[in-house]
């Protein structure tokens, strides 16, 4: 009955009986389906809550296997050959240190990242594959540790972090998988975010910490390592540490409690030492002078570079910036960013400030590559995900938006991962084929020292490999061709498109 009127009577009185019966049956079926869906949702939620810890670690293990497969399918690429040529000339650890000092004087101040490149090339590639996979998981866990007000073993946050890295991390193949890139960007971000996490941990535990001197000593050396990783990302890390430290000092001073601890000073001092050691490298000055030839100078040059940085940031992070803007609007509407006190304490705001500073500081450098924005992206991801967590989701629409976002990203990752896993396997196969051709040429007593190799097929090009950006060319004096020639001790190497090579040289 509805308002004293029987719906069944209305159905048969105003609608032909067959149609009414079909409508009634369909409505009944839909009601049953919705009821079953509600029961299923409750059951799934209960199961997830009961086994949340186990599911959390299963997801993390799956993430490790996923990145490990990509690592094992990534061969030596680009500058890996150049550093490998130097490394095999070293007879001891001291020789590697001397090589790194030479690079410090001539090319780069990134001592930590570049020395890790050399160490990685000392061992077989599988050692790097394992260590680099663990570094990826370390970055995931450090980002997770910096998200506040989440559940214990929060599956939602973990999935957001993993999918954000796979979807939005700039130049994934260059910054996560390529040896030279991973040691500088992925590993560097782990050291920097690791120090930020260490610093925040002892800020929260300041009153409970008994051994302040060892904590301060570790903070100094950890700070030096974090500061000596990457010019702009280390600076962003220092900014974060200062912001968290100033908030701590401000709050404690108001309550007339102890507001300064030794690790706060030694950690900041260590980061400053590391950054100064990096940016004062003679190699940076000579490299910057070479790269800046032809650029505008003075105020016009600075404005031009700011414009280029803005365009680059839009290119690589536009979608995340849009999501972050929507999240900030929700935080404002929910009165979580109403006052200066809320703004200065809010982790979303602090990490976004660090992301902006990390990105725009590149305006003082000559035309950076996109991968230079990797660290800014890490800070942006943490700030965005923190905001998503902080948005109150009592309303059904907001909950749907949150879980819909992570669901769409997971579906995207599933299909994209499988597709590019095949592409990486194809590139790896073609690289092994080229190496076999090189060894055949070297083993041929009648070889003339001139070898023509096939280039990678364009159809296999993907964002998870740096292979096509550093492929061999038909010019024997091209830089990567020279690396191959020296590394494999062969006269001249050139390369032509695969289709042409198949027509000319493929005996099959």
């Amino acid at each position: 009955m509805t308002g004293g009127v029987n719906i069944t009577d209305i159905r048969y009185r105003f609608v032909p009986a067959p149609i009414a019966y079909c409508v009634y049956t369909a409505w009944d079926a839909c009601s049953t389906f919705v009821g079953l869906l509600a029961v299923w949702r409750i059951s799934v939620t209960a199961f997830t809550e009961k086994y949340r810890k186990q599911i959390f670690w299963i997801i993390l293990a799956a993430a490790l296997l996923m990145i490990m497969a990509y690592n094992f399918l990534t061969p030596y690429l680009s500058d890996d050959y150049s550093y490998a040529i130097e490394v095999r000339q070293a007879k001891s650890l001291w020789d590697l240190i001397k090589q790194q000092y030479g690079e410090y004087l001539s090319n780069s101040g990134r001592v930590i990242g570049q020395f890790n490149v050399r160490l990685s090339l000392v061992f077989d590639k599988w050692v790097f594959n394992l260590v680099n996979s663990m570094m990826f998981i370390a970055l995931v866990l450090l980002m997770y540790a910096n998200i506040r007000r989440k559940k214990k073993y929060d599956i939602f946050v973990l999935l957001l972090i993993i999918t954000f890295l796979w979807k939005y991390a700039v130049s994934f193949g260059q910054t996560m998988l390529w040896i030279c890139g991973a040691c500088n960007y992925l590993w560097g971000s782990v050291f920097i975010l690791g120090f930020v996490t260490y610093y925040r941990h002892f800020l929260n535990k300041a009153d409970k910490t008994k051994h302040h001197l060892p904590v301060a000593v570790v903070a100094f050396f950890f700070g030096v390592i974090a500061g000596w990783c990457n010019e702009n990302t280390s600076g962003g890390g220092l900014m974060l540490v200062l912001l968290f430290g100033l908030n701590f000092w401000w709050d404690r001073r108001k309550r007339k409690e102890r507001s300064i601890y030794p690790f706060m000073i030694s950690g900041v001092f260590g980061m400053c030492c590391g950054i100064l050691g990096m940016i004062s490298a003679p190699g940076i000055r000579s490299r910057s002078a070479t790269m800046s030839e032809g650029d505008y100078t003075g105020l016009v040059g600075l404005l031009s570079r700011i414009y280029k940085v803005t365009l680059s940031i839009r290119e690589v992070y536009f979608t995340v910036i849009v999501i972050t803007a929507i999240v900030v609007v929700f935080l404002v509407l929910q009165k979580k960013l109403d006052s200066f006190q809320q703004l200065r304490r809010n982790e979303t705001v602090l990490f976004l400030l660090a992301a902006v500073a990390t990105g725009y500081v590149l305006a003082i450098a000559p035309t950076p590559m996109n991968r230079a924005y990797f660290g800014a992206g890490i800070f942006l991801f943490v700030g965005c995900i923190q905001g998503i967590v902080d948005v109150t989701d009592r309303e059904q629409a907001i909950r749907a938006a949150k879980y819909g976002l992570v669901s769409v990203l997971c579906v995207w990752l599933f299909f994209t991962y499988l597709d590019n896993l095949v592409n990486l396997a194809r590139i790896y196969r073609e690289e092994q084929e080229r190496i076999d051709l090189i060894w055949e040429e070297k083993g041929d007593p009648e070889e003339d020292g001139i070898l023509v190799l096939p280039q990678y097929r364009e159809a296999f090009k993907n964002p998870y490999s740096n292979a096509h950006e550093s492929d061999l060319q038909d010019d024997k004096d091209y830089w990567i061709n020279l690396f191959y020639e020296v590394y494999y001790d062969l006269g001249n190497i050139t390369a032509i498109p695969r289709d042409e090579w198949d027509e000319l040289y493929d005996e099959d």
Side-chain angles (χ1 to χ4, degrees):
M1 295 290 292
T2 303
V5 180
N6 191 297
I7 294 177
T8 305
D9 290 342
I10 294 175
R11 181 190 69 196
Y12 283 109
R13 186 178 303 172
F14 299 104
V15 182
I19 297 177
Y21 179 77
C22 290
V23 171
Y24 184 81
T25 304
W27 176 261
D28 189 52
C30 288
S31 301
T32 304
F33 176 75
V34 170
L36 291 174
L37 190 62
V39 173
W40 178 80
R41 183 182 66 82
I42 294 171
S43 301
V44 170
T45 303
F47 177 84
T48 302
E49 288 301 312
K50 182 178 180 180
Y51 297 103
R52 189 195 305 163
K53 180 178 179 180
Q54 292 85 344
I55 295 172
F56 181 94
W57 290 112
I58 289 172
I59 293 172
L60 206 59
L64 175 62
L65 293 176
M66 288 170 65
I67 192 66
M68 193 180 296
Y70 270 41
N71 271 297
F72 274 94
L73 291 175
T74 302
Y76 286 169
L77 298 168
S78 188
D79 290 348
D80 294 346
Y81 280 102
S82 174
Y83 283 100
I85 292 168
E86 291 186 21
V87 166
R88 67 184 181 186
Q89 296 172 355
K91 305 300 181 184
S92 63
L93 179 62
W94 180 244
D95 286 343
L96 292 177
I97 294 173
K98 289 192 292 184
Q99 288 180 356
Q100 188 56 54
Y101 180 66
E103 183 176 5
Y104 180 80
L105 295 177
S106 62
N107 185 53
S108 173
R110 295 178 184 176
V111 169
I112 303 300
Q114 296 300 97
F115 191 70
N116 283 328
V117 171
R118 297 179 189 277
L119 285 178
S120 298
L121 292 167
V122 169
F123 304 98
D124 290 337
K125 178 66 166 52
W126 67 266
V127 177
F128 170 81
N129 296 336
L130 295 178
V131 175
N132 197 52
S133 300
M134 295 303 298
M135 281 293 187
F136 178 83
I137 297 302
L139 179 60
V140 170
L141 290 175
L142 287 169
M143 292 173 68
Y144 180 86
N146 279 277
I147 305 295
R148 298 295 193 257
R149 296 172 293 282
K150 59 183 181 294
K151 297 178 182 178
K152 190 174 183 180
Y153 299 108
D154 199 315
I155 299 169
F156 172 74
V157 172
L158 180 65
L159 286 174
L160 271 181
I161 292 170
I162 293 171
T163 52
F164 264 54
L165 287 174
W166 279 97
K167 173 67 174 174
Y168 300 117
V170 62
S171 303
F172 196 102
Q174 296 182 21
T175 56
M176 299 278 204
L177 301 170
W178 171 42
I179 293 179
C180 289
C183 288
N184 279 285
Y185 296 99
L186 172 57
W187 296 25
S189 296
V190 167
F191 295 141
I192 294 164
L193 198 56
F195 177 72
V196 172
T197 307
Y198 178 89
Y199 196 88
R200 293 185 72 185
H201 172 78
F202 282 103
L203 283 179
N204 293 334
K205 304 289 184 181
D207 292 333
K208 299 178 181 179
T209 302
K210 297 180 180 179
H211 307 290
H212 289 287
L213 181 59
V215 171
V217 171
V218 172
F220 172 77
F221 287 106
F222 201 170
V224 170
I225 293 172
W228 216 318
C229 285
N230 184 282
E231 293 85 356
N232 62 321
T233 311
S234 291
L238 176 60
M239 180 179 179
L240 273 174
V241 164
L242 288 172
L243 289 173
F244 285 123
L246 285 172
N247 274 328
F248 178 86
W249 172 79
W250 191 317
D251 292 337
R252 288 299 190 96
R253 188 174 62 88
K254 283 186 174 181
R255 298 198 299 265
K256 300 186 183 304
E257 298 174 353
R258 182 179 179 181
S259 57
I260 298 292
Y261 288 84
F263 77 91
M264 297 170 64
I265 300 173
S266 65
V268 170
F269 182 63
M271 279 203 86
C272 290
C273 289
I275 292 173
L276 287 174
M278 177 171 50
I279 64 176
S280 63
I284 282 190
R285 291 192 292 273
S286 60
R287 185 179 183 183
S288 296
T290 302
M291 294 177 65
S292 60
E293 291 179 359
D295 286 354
Y296 293 110
T297 57
L299 180 60
V300 175
L302 178 62
L303 293 175
S304 173
R305 290 192 294 272
I306 290 174
Y307 172 69
K308 290 178 181 178
V309 167
T310 302
L311 293 181
S312 297
I313 291 174
R314 182 187 68 178
E315 176 188 349
V316 297
Y317 293 127
F318 181 75
T319 303
V320 184
I321 292 171
V322 169
I323 295 172
T324 305
I326 295 171
V327 167
V328 170
V329 168
F330 273 111
L331 292 175
V332 171
L333 293 175
Q334 294 179 354
K335 301 187 182 303
K336 295 184 178 180
L337 295 177
D338 258 6
S339 65
F340 174 72
Q341 299 299 327
Q342 289 178 321
L343 284 169
R344 73 174 177 84
R345 290 195 187 103
N346 188 276
E347 291 88 349
T348 294
V349 174
L350 299 181
F351 274 97
L352 290 182
L353 287 174
V356 171
T358 303
Y360 275 95
V361 75
L362 291 170
I364 66 175
T367 315
M369 295 184 179
N370 278 352
R371 61 176 178 259
Y373 298 95
F374 179 82
I378 298 303
F379 297 145
L380 175 61
F381 298 166
V382 174
C384 180
I385 295 171
Q386 179 68 74
I388 292 172
V389 171
D390 285 342
V391 170
T392 304
D393 58 1
R394 285 191 293 268
E395 296 179 14
Q396 186 74 15
I398 297 179
R399 282 201 302 275
K402 279 189 176 185
Y403 294 106
L405 172 64
V406 75
S407 299
V408 168
L409 287 173
C410 286
V411 171
W412 170 89
L413 179 56
F414 174 79
F415 289 106
T416 301
Y417 180 85
L418 290 180
D419 184 27
N420 290 295
L421 181 69
V422 174
N423 284 328
L424 287 180
R426 289 165 172 166
I427 292 172
Y428 183 84
R429 180 193 64 203
E430 293 201 337
E431 176 66 12
Q432 296 307 306
E433 179 187 4
R434 297 203 303 198
I435 293 172
D436 290 340
L437 290 170
I438 291 173
W439 288 116
E440 287 178 12
E441 180 75 7
K442 287 177 62 67
D444 185 357
E446 299 180 1
E447 59 92 9
D448 56 5
I450 301 175
L451 179 62
V452 180
L453 295 174
Q455 293 177 338
Y456 298 120
R457 288 181 173 90
E458 282 297 315
F460 302 159
K461 188 174 182 179
N462 66 88
Y464 299 97
S465 175
N466 189 36
H468 289 79
E469 284 75 11
S470 58
D471 199 4
L472 296 167
Q473 301 297 313
D474 59 359
D475 179 8
K476 64 181 179 61
D477 295 323
Y478 190 65
W479 61 272
I480 188 65
N481 295 51
L482 296 176
F483 290 166
Y484 268 71
E485 291 166 9
V486 176
Y487 184 81
Y488 291 107
D489 190 24
L490 200 63
N492 293 130
I493 293 178
T494 61
I496 58 178
R498 182 71 193 214
D499 293 342
E500 295 180 23
W501 189 90
D502 285 341
E503 292 179 8
L504 294 173
Y505 300 101
D506 192 356
E507 298 177 358
D508 295 336

